[in-house]
Amino acid sequence: MSTSATSQPAQAYQKQTRQQLQAATDAFAILQDLPAGAGADVVLEALQAFGIALDAGINQAGLLRAVSPDAEVREQASQTEQALSKVATDVGLSQPIYAALSGLPPQADAKAQR
């Protein structure tokens, strides 16, 4: 990487990355804080919001890491993928989220497939 100032595309992507990571982190916090006995709609909507935020960031980062002509953008994209993957792992290991999902009635599965 060069010692010159950060490129304009890298600066723009860095700003967008912060927003995407914040959106995924905020959605994770909402999932973590779901009240006991939250209804299926509440749990599934929160999970869907998290998935949308996570997928948007990871998909864009994967694309830019692979095709951007700017080395700084590629490096940032790689770091973004790692940060968002960590958030996804944290969701998978979260006891409160597991409790919220495992407490859903079996009928909630039909709503998840809509």
Side-chain angles (χ1 to χ4, degrees), residues 1-2 7-10 13 60-77:
M1 198 175 294
S2 72
S7 69
Q8 189 174 13
Y13 181 60
Q60 183 182 34
L63 177 65
L64 289 175
R65 181 184 47 78
V67 303
S68 178
D70 188 317
E72 290 176 282
V73 171
R74 291 192 307 272
E75 179 59 31
Q76 286 177 3

Side-chain angles (χ1 to χ4, degrees), residues 53-103:
L54 183 71
D55 287 348
I58 284 182
N59 290 339
Q60 183 182 34
L63 177 65
L64 289 175
R65 181 184 47 78
V67 303
S68 178
D70 188 317
E72 290 176 282
V73 171
R74 291 192 307 272
E75 179 59 31
Q76 286 177 3
S78 179
Q79 291 173 6
T80 299
E81 277 185 304
Q82 290 175 19
L84 289 169
S85 291
K86 181 187 179 316
V87 175
T89 298
D90 291 345
V91 166
L93 296 174
S94 169
Q95 288 290 35
I97 295 172
Y98 175 80
L101 291 171
S102 66

